Amino acid sequence: MRIGIFGGTFDPIHLGHLILAETCLVECQLDQIRFLPTYCSPHKTNEKTTSAKQRQYMLDFATAGIPEFVVDPREIKKGEVCYSVDTLTELRAEFPEDELFFLIGADSLNDFPTWREPEKIAELATIAAVNRGQMSEAEIDEMCLQLPDSVRKSVQIIQMPGIEISASMLRDRASKNLSVRFLTPRPVERYITEQKLYQISDE
């Protein structure tokens, strides 16, 4: 089986995340994509986020009825900062016969060498770096040249349409009582509204 690993804060999950996942599902010929919401991202330790459980609920709502999409809450259950290399090591032990693909935005290649044990990550999984229409081929090539050879050989560049949707945009709109309809799946939109997530009065 070919499994995509898609980690992130998902605060909240939106259509851009889902289109990225679907693009990788097709382009990498994956059988499954596991969404791994972070408890606390090692790259965003100073940022305030919605509770881990609320973010997991929104992921559950967004992926319901899609058999290829699986929500894997292992990092939330640990209740601490988790590193990609450690999570991938766990997954490799659980799925020893399967091929793993680590899904990231292509822009993350720029600081990938600063991640914990980037070369081991490249050993554990193919790095599916998705260009979300933000960078030219030359810019991506330049970033790849900065990577160690062992990492660069593991990188597969995936192209997807530019989707000008971000979690920060949704949070900002929700904080101003503006509609997030058509930016995230309907059940997630309703949950954000009903729970009054991202409202300034709640901060």
Short mmCIF file of all heavy atoms in Angstrom, two decimals, residues 97-151:
data_model
loop_
_atom_site.label_atom_id
_atom_site.label_comp_id
_atom_site.label_asym_id
_atom_site.label_seq_id
_atom_site.Cartn_x
_atom_site.Cartn_y
_atom_site.Cartn_z
N GLU A 97 5.80 -2.88 5.35
CA GLU A 97 5.78 -3.31 3.95
C GLU A 97 5.23 -2.25 3.00
O GLU A 97 5.19 -2.46 1.79
CB GLU A 97 4.93 -4.59 3.82
CG GLU A 97 5.38 -5.74 4.70
CD GLU A 97 6.82 -6.15 4.41
OE1 GLU A 97 7.21 -6.15 3.22
OE2 GLU A 97 7.54 -6.48 5.37
N ASP A 98 4.77 -1.12 3.56
CA ASP A 98 4.13 -0.10 2.75
C ASP A 98 5.09 1.03 2.39
O ASP A 98 6.11 1.24 3.05
CB ASP A 98 2.91 0.47 3.49
CG ASP A 98 1.85 -0.60 3.75
OD1 ASP A 98 1.60 -1.41 2.84
OD2 ASP A 98 1.29 -0.62 4.86
N GLU A 99 4.75 1.77 1.35
CA GLU A 99 5.56 2.89 0.89
C GLU A 99 4.96 4.18 1.44
O GLU A 99 3.77 4.45 1.24
CB GLU A 99 5.61 2.93 -0.64
CG GLU A 99 6.63 3.90 -1.19
CD GLU A 99 6.81 3.77 -2.69
OE1 GLU A 99 6.22 2.83 -3.29
OE2 GLU A 99 7.53 4.60 -3.27
N LEU A 100 5.77 4.98 2.13
CA LEU A 100 5.29 6.20 2.76
C LEU A 100 5.67 7.42 1.93
O LEU A 100 6.78 7.51 1.40
CB LEU A 100 5.86 6.34 4.17
CG LEU A 100 5.58 5.21 5.16
CD1 LEU A 100 6.17 5.55 6.53
CD2 LEU A 100 4.08 4.93 5.28
N PHE A 101 4.75 8.37 1.86
CA PHE A 101 4.97 9.64 1.18
C PHE A 101 4.67 10.76 2.18
O PHE A 101 3.58 10.81 2.74
CB PHE A 101 4.06 9.78 -0.05
CG PHE A 101 4.42 8.87 -1.18
CD1 PHE A 101 4.11 7.50 -1.11
CD2 PHE A 101 5.06 9.35 -2.32
CE1 PHE A 101 4.43 6.65 -2.16
CE2 PHE A 101 5.38 8.49 -3.36
CZ PHE A 101 5.07 7.14 -3.28
N PHE A 102 5.64 11.63 2.39
CA PHE A 102 5.51 12.72 3.36
C PHE A 102 5.11 13.99 2.61
O PHE A 102 5.89 14.54 1.82
CB PHE A 102 6.84 12.91 4.09
CG PHE A 102 6.82 13.92 5.18
CD1 PHE A 102 5.81 13.93 6.14
CD2 PHE A 102 7.83 14.86 5.28
CE1 PHE A 102 5.81 14.87 7.16
CE2 PHE A 102 7.84 15.79 6.30
CZ PHE A 102 6.83 15.80 7.24
N LEU A 103 3.89 14.46 2.83
CA LEU A 103 3.33 15.58 2.07
C LEU A 103 3.67 16.91 2.75
O LEU A 103 3.34 17.12 3.92
CB LEU A 103 1.81 15.45 1.97
CG LEU A 103 1.22 14.51 0.92
CD1 LEU A 103 1.85 13.13 0.95
CD2 LEU A 103 -0.30 14.42 1.06
N ILE A 104 4.32 17.80 1.99
CA ILE A 104 4.64 19.13 2.49
C ILE A 104 4.43 20.14 1.37
O ILE A 104 4.37 19.78 0.20
CB ILE A 104 6.09 19.24 3.01
CG1 ILE A 104 7.10 19.00 1.88
CG2 ILE A 104 6.32 18.27 4.17
CD1 ILE A 104 8.55 19.28 2.28
N GLY A 105 4.32 21.41 1.73
CA GLY A 105 4.30 22.46 0.73
C GLY A 105 5.71 22.63 0.17
O GLY A 105 6.70 22.52 0.91
N ALA A 106 5.83 22.88 -1.12
CA ALA A 106 7.16 23.01 -1.72
C ALA A 106 7.96 24.14 -1.08
O ALA A 106 9.19 24.08 -1.00
CB ALA A 106 7.04 23.24 -3.23
N ASP A 107 7.28 25.17 -0.57
CA ASP A 107 7.98 26.27 0.08
C ASP A 107 8.71 25.81 1.34
O ASP A 107 9.68 26.43 1.77
CB ASP A 107 7.00 27.40 0.43
CG ASP A 107 5.81 26.92 1.25
OD1 ASP A 107 5.19 25.91 0.87
OD2 ASP A 107 5.48 27.56 2.26
N SER A 108 8.27 24.69 1.93
CA SER A 108 8.93 24.16 3.13
C SER A 108 10.31 23.60 2.84
O SER A 108 11.10 23.38 3.76
CB SER A 108 8.07 23.07 3.78
OG SER A 108 6.86 23.60 4.28
N LEU A 109 10.61 23.35 1.55
CA LEU A 109 11.95 22.86 1.20
C LEU A 109 13.02 23.87 1.58
O LEU A 109 14.17 23.52 1.82
CB LEU A 109 12.03 22.56 -0.30
CG LEU A 109 11.19 21.38 -0.82
CD1 LEU A 109 11.26 21.32 -2.33
CD2 LEU A 109 11.65 20.07 -0.20
N ASN A 110 12.62 25.14 1.63
CA ASN A 110 13.58 26.20 1.93
C ASN A 110 14.22 26.04 3.31
O ASN A 110 15.42 26.25 3.48
CB ASN A 110 12.90 27.57 1.83
CG ASN A 110 13.89 28.71 1.85
OD1 ASN A 110 14.89 28.67 1.14
ND2 ASN A 110 13.62 29.73 2.65
N ASP A 111 13.39 25.66 4.30
CA ASP A 111 13.93 25.49 5.65
C ASP A 111 13.99 24.03 6.08
O ASP A 111 14.28 23.72 7.23
CB ASP A 111 13.15 26.32 6.68
CG ASP A 111 11.68 25.93 6.75
OD1 ASP A 111 11.27 24.97 6.07
OD2 ASP A 111 10.94 26.59 7.51
N PHE A 112 13.75 23.11 5.14
CA PHE A 112 13.76 21.69 5.47
C PHE A 112 15.08 21.23 6.11
O PHE A 112 15.07 20.40 7.03
CB PHE A 112 13.44 20.85 4.23
CG PHE A 112 13.16 19.41 4.52
CD1 PHE A 112 11.94 19.01 5.06
CD2 PHE A 112 14.12 18.43 4.27
CE1 PHE A 112 11.68 17.68 5.34
CE2 PHE A 112 13.87 17.10 4.55
CZ PHE A 112 12.65 16.72 5.09
N PRO A 113 16.23 21.76 5.67
CA PRO A 113 17.49 21.33 6.30
C PRO A 113 17.57 21.65 7.79
O PRO A 113 18.39 21.06 8.50
CB PRO A 113 18.56 22.10 5.50
CG PRO A 113 17.93 22.32 4.16
CD PRO A 113 16.48 22.59 4.47
N THR A 114 16.73 22.58 8.27
CA THR A 114 16.76 22.94 9.70
C THR A 114 15.85 22.04 10.53
O THR A 114 15.85 22.15 11.76
CB THR A 114 16.34 24.40 9.92
OG1 THR A 114 14.93 24.56 9.63
CG2 THR A 114 17.13 25.34 9.02
N TRP A 115 15.05 21.18 9.88
CA TRP A 115 14.18 20.28 10.60
C TRP A 115 15.04 19.24 11.32
O TRP A 115 16.20 19.01 10.98
CB TRP A 115 13.22 19.57 9.65
CG TRP A 115 12.18 20.45 9.03
CD1 TRP A 115 12.24 21.79 8.82
CD2 TRP A 115 10.90 20.03 8.51
NE1 TRP A 115 11.11 22.25 8.20
CE2 TRP A 115 10.27 21.19 8.00
CE3 TRP A 115 10.26 18.81 8.42
CZ2 TRP A 115 9.00 21.14 7.41
CZ3 TRP A 115 9.01 18.76 7.83
CH2 TRP A 115 8.38 19.91 7.35
N ARG A 116 14.43 18.57 12.28
CA ARG A 116 15.14 17.52 13.01
C ARG A 116 15.39 16.32 12.09
O ARG A 116 14.46 15.76 11.52
CB ARG A 116 14.36 17.09 14.24
CG ARG A 116 15.02 15.97 15.03
CD ARG A 116 14.37 15.73 16.37
NE ARG A 116 14.60 16.83 17.29
CZ ARG A 116 14.27 16.79 18.59
NH1 ARG A 116 13.70 15.71 19.11
NH2 ARG A 116 14.50 17.83 19.37
N GLU A 117 16.63 15.94 11.91
CA GLU A 117 17.06 14.78 11.13
C GLU A 117 16.42 14.70 9.74
O GLU A 117 15.74 13.74 9.40
CB GLU A 117 16.78 13.49 11.91
CG GLU A 117 17.52 13.41 13.25
CD GLU A 117 17.33 12.07 13.92
OE1 GLU A 117 17.84 11.07 13.40
OE2 GLU A 117 16.65 12.03 14.97
N PRO A 118 16.63 15.73 8.91
CA PRO A 118 16.02 15.72 7.58
C PRO A 118 16.44 14.54 6.72
O PRO A 118 15.65 14.03 5.92
CB PRO A 118 16.49 17.05 6.97
CG PRO A 118 17.72 17.41 7.74
CD PRO A 118 17.47 16.91 9.13
N GLU A 119 17.68 14.08 6.88
CA GLU A 119 18.14 12.95 6.06
C GLU A 119 17.44 11.66 6.46
O GLU A 119 17.16 10.81 5.59
CB GLU A 119 19.66 12.82 6.16
CG GLU A 119 20.39 14.00 5.54
CD GLU A 119 21.89 13.81 5.48
OE1 GLU A 119 22.40 12.90 6.16
OE2 GLU A 119 22.55 14.56 4.75
N LYS A 120 17.13 11.52 7.74
CA LYS A 120 16.40 10.33 8.16
C LYS A 120 14.96 10.38 7.64
O LYS A 120 14.39 9.35 7.26
CB LYS A 120 16.41 10.19 9.68
CG LYS A 120 15.77 8.88 10.15
CD LYS A 120 15.92 8.65 11.63
CE LYS A 120 15.28 7.32 12.05
NZ LYS A 120 15.39 7.10 13.52
N ILE A 121 14.36 11.58 7.64
CA ILE A 121 13.02 11.73 7.07
C ILE A 121 13.02 11.24 5.63
O ILE A 121 12.12 10.51 5.20
CB ILE A 121 12.56 13.21 7.14
CG1 ILE A 121 12.30 13.63 8.59
CG2 ILE A 121 11.29 13.42 6.30
CD1 ILE A 121 11.96 15.10 8.76
N ALA A 122 14.05 11.62 4.89
CA ALA A 122 14.15 11.22 3.48
C ALA A 122 14.34 9.71 3.33
O ALA A 122 13.95 9.13 2.30
CB ALA A 122 15.30 11.97 2.81
N GLU A 123 14.93 9.08 4.32
CA GLU A 123 15.08 7.61 4.30
C GLU A 123 13.75 6.92 4.56
O GLU A 123 13.46 5.86 3.99
CB GLU A 123 16.08 7.17 5.37
CG GLU A 123 17.53 7.52 5.09
CD GLU A 123 18.43 7.11 6.23
OE1 GLU A 123 17.96 6.38 7.13
OE2 GLU A 123 19.60 7.52 6.24
N LEU A 124 12.96 7.54 5.42
CA LEU A 124 11.71 6.90 5.85
C LEU A 124 10.58 7.06 4.83
O LEU A 124 9.68 6.22 4.78
CB LEU A 124 11.27 7.51 7.19
CG LEU A 124 12.16 7.21 8.40
CD1 LEU A 124 11.83 8.15 9.55
CD2 LEU A 124 11.96 5.76 8.84
N ALA A 125 10.61 8.14 4.05
CA ALA A 125 9.49 8.42 3.16
C ALA A 125 9.94 9.23 1.95
O ALA A 125 10.91 10.00 2.02
CB ALA A 125 8.40 9.19 3.91
N THR A 126 9.23 9.07 0.85
CA THR A 126 9.38 9.97 -0.29
C THR A 126 8.80 11.32 0.12
O THR A 126 7.72 11.38 0.71
CB THR A 126 8.63 9.44 -1.51
OG1 THR A 126 9.21 8.19 -1.91
CG2 THR A 126 8.68 10.42 -2.68
N ILE A 127 9.51 12.40 -0.16
CA ILE A 127 9.03 13.73 0.19
C ILE A 127 8.25 14.29 -0.98
O ILE A 127 8.82 14.65 -2.02
CB ILE A 127 10.21 14.65 0.56
CG1 ILE A 127 10.98 14.07 1.75
CG2 ILE A 127 9.70 16.06 0.89
CD1 ILE A 127 12.31 14.73 2.00
N ALA A 128 6.93 14.33 -0.84
CA ALA A 128 6.05 14.87 -1.89
C ALA A 128 5.88 16.36 -1.62
O ALA A 128 5.11 16.76 -0.75
CB ALA A 128 4.71 14.15 -1.88
N ALA A 129 6.65 17.17 -2.33
CA ALA A 129 6.65 18.62 -2.12
C ALA A 129 5.69 19.25 -3.13
O ALA A 129 5.92 19.18 -4.34
CB ALA A 129 8.06 19.18 -2.28
N VAL A 130 4.62 19.85 -2.62
CA VAL A 130 3.55 20.33 -3.48
C VAL A 130 3.70 21.83 -3.75
O VAL A 130 3.69 22.65 -2.83
CB VAL A 130 2.18 20.06 -2.84
CG1 VAL A 130 1.06 20.47 -3.80
CG2 VAL A 130 2.05 18.57 -2.48
N ASN A 131 3.84 22.16 -5.03
CA ASN A 131 3.87 23.56 -5.43
C ASN A 131 2.43 24.02 -5.61
O ASN A 131 1.74 23.62 -6.54
CB ASN A 131 4.64 23.73 -6.74
CG ASN A 131 4.72 25.19 -7.17
OD1 ASN A 131 4.45 26.10 -6.38
ND2 ASN A 131 5.08 25.41 -8.42
N ARG A 132 1.99 24.87 -4.70
CA ARG A 132 0.61 25.33 -4.72
C ARG A 132 0.43 26.56 -5.61
O ARG A 132 -0.36 27.45 -5.30
CB ARG A 132 0.17 25.62 -3.28
CG ARG A 132 0.15 24.36 -2.42
CD ARG A 132 0.03 24.63 -0.94
NE ARG A 132 1.28 25.15 -0.38
CZ ARG A 132 1.51 25.28 0.93
NH1 ARG A 132 0.56 24.95 1.79
NH2 ARG A 132 2.67 25.74 1.38
N GLY A 133 1.17 26.57 -6.70
CA GLY A 133 1.06 27.67 -7.65
C GLY A 133 1.76 28.93 -7.22
O GLY A 133 1.57 29.99 -7.82
N GLN A 134 2.60 28.83 -6.18
CA GLN A 134 3.23 30.02 -5.61
C GLN A 134 4.62 30.29 -6.16
O GLN A 134 5.12 31.40 -6.08
CB GLN A 134 3.32 29.88 -4.08
CG GLN A 134 1.97 29.69 -3.40
CD GLN A 134 2.12 29.24 -1.96
OE1 GLN A 134 2.96 28.40 -1.66
NE2 GLN A 134 1.30 29.79 -1.09
N MET A 135 5.28 29.25 -6.68
CA MET A 135 6.68 29.39 -7.07
C MET A 135 6.93 28.91 -8.49
O MET A 135 6.21 28.05 -8.99
CB MET A 135 7.56 28.60 -6.09
CG MET A 135 7.58 29.17 -4.69
SD MET A 135 8.52 28.10 -3.58
CE MET A 135 7.46 26.67 -3.54
N SER A 136 7.95 29.47 -9.08
CA SER A 136 8.34 29.04 -10.42
C SER A 136 9.19 27.78 -10.32
O SER A 136 9.71 27.44 -9.25
CB SER A 136 9.15 30.14 -11.11
OG SER A 136 10.40 30.31 -10.46
N GLU A 137 9.35 27.12 -11.44
CA GLU A 137 10.18 25.92 -11.48
C GLU A 137 11.62 26.24 -11.10
O GLU A 137 12.28 25.47 -10.41
CB GLU A 137 10.12 25.31 -12.88
CG GLU A 137 10.85 23.99 -13.03
CD GLU A 137 10.65 23.36 -14.39
OE1 GLU A 137 9.62 23.63 -15.03
OE2 GLU A 137 11.55 22.61 -14.81
N ALA A 138 12.08 27.41 -11.53
CA ALA A 138 13.46 27.83 -11.21
C ALA A 138 13.64 28.02 -9.71
O ALA A 138 14.68 27.66 -9.14
CB ALA A 138 13.80 29.11 -11.96
N GLU A 139 12.64 28.59 -9.05
CA GLU A 139 12.73 28.81 -7.60
C GLU A 139 12.79 27.48 -6.85
O GLU A 139 13.54 27.32 -5.88
CB GLU A 139 11.53 29.63 -7.12
CG GLU A 139 11.58 31.10 -7.55
CD GLU A 139 10.31 31.85 -7.20
OE1 GLU A 139 9.20 31.28 -7.40
OE2 GLU A 139 10.40 32.99 -6.73
N ILE A 140 11.98 26.54 -7.30
CA ILE A 140 11.98 25.22 -6.66
C ILE A 140 13.30 24.51 -6.89
O ILE A 140 13.87 23.90 -5.98
CB ILE A 140 10.80 24.37 -7.17
CG1 ILE A 140 9.48 25.00 -6.73
CG2 ILE A 140 10.91 22.94 -6.65
CD1 ILE A 140 8.25 24.31 -7.28
N ASP A 141 13.82 24.61 -8.11
CA ASP A 141 15.11 23.98 -8.42
C ASP A 141 16.21 24.55 -7.53
O ASP A 141 17.09 23.81 -7.05
CB ASP A 141 15.48 24.21 -9.89
CG ASP A 141 14.64 23.36 -10.84
OD1 ASP A 141 14.00 22.41 -10.36
OD2 ASP A 141 14.62 23.67 -12.04
N GLU A 142 16.17 25.85 -7.30
CA GLU A 142 17.19 26.50 -6.47
C GLU A 142 17.11 25.98 -5.03
O GLU A 142 18.14 25.73 -4.40
CB GLU A 142 17.00 28.01 -6.49
CG GLU A 142 18.08 28.77 -5.73
CD GLU A 142 17.95 30.27 -5.86
OE1 GLU A 142 17.17 30.73 -6.72
OE2 GLU A 142 18.61 30.99 -5.09
N MET A 143 15.89 25.82 -4.51
CA MET A 143 15.73 25.30 -3.16
C MET A 143 16.24 23.86 -3.07
O MET A 143 16.88 23.48 -2.09
CB MET A 143 14.27 25.38 -2.71
CG MET A 143 13.81 26.76 -2.31
SD MET A 143 12.21 26.76 -1.49
CE MET A 143 11.15 26.27 -2.83
N CYS A 144 15.94 23.07 -4.09
CA CYS A 144 16.36 21.67 -4.08
C CYS A 144 17.88 21.56 -4.10
O CYS A 144 18.45 20.64 -3.48
CB CYS A 144 15.77 20.93 -5.28
SG CYS A 144 14.00 20.56 -5.11
N LEU A 145 18.55 22.49 -4.77
CA LEU A 145 20.01 22.45 -4.84
C LEU A 145 20.65 22.69 -3.47
O LEU A 145 21.82 22.31 -3.26
CB LEU A 145 20.52 23.49 -5.84
CG LEU A 145 20.29 23.16 -7.32
CD1 LEU A 145 20.69 24.34 -8.20
CD2 LEU A 145 21.08 21.90 -7.71
N GLN A 146 19.91 23.33 -2.55
CA GLN A 146 20.44 23.58 -1.21
C GLN A 146 20.30 22.36 -0.30
O GLN A 146 20.84 22.35 0.81
CB GLN A 146 19.70 24.77 -0.59
CG GLN A 146 19.70 26.04 -1.41
CD GLN A 146 21.09 26.50 -1.78
OE1 GLN A 146 21.98 26.55 -0.93
NE2 GLN A 146 21.29 26.84 -3.05
N LEU A 147 19.58 21.35 -0.76
CA LEU A 147 19.34 20.16 0.06
C LEU A 147 20.50 19.19 -0.05
O LEU A 147 21.15 19.10 -1.10
CB LEU A 147 18.05 19.46 -0.39
CG LEU A 147 16.75 20.24 -0.30
CD1 LEU A 147 15.62 19.46 -0.96
CD2 LEU A 147 16.40 20.56 1.15
N PRO A 148 20.77 18.42 1.00
CA PRO A 148 21.77 17.35 0.88
C PRO A 148 21.35 16.37 -0.22
O PRO A 148 20.16 16.18 -0.48
CB PRO A 148 21.72 16.69 2.26
CG PRO A 148 21.14 17.72 3.18
CD PRO A 148 20.19 18.52 2.35
N ASP A 149 22.32 15.75 -0.86
CA ASP A 149 22.03 14.84 -1.97
C ASP A 149 21.03 13.76 -1.58
O ASP A 149 20.11 13.44 -2.35
CB ASP A 149 23.32 14.17 -2.46
CG ASP A 149 24.22 15.14 -3.22
OD1 ASP A 149 23.72 16.22 -3.60
OD2 ASP A 149 25.39 14.81 -3.42
N SER A 150 21.20 13.20 -0.39
CA SER A 150 20.31 12.10 0.04
C SER A 150 18.87 12.57 0.20
O SER A 150 17.93 11.79 0.01
CB SER A 150 20.81 11.50 1.35
OG SER A 150 20.85 12.47 2.38
N VAL A 151 18.70 13.84 0.56
CA VAL A 151 17.35 14.38 0.69
C VAL A 151 16.78 14.71 -0.69
O VAL A 151 15.64 14.37 -1.01
CB VAL A 151 17.35 15.64 1.59
CG1 VAL A 151 15.96 16.28 1.61
CG2 VAL A 151 17.78 15.28 3.01
#
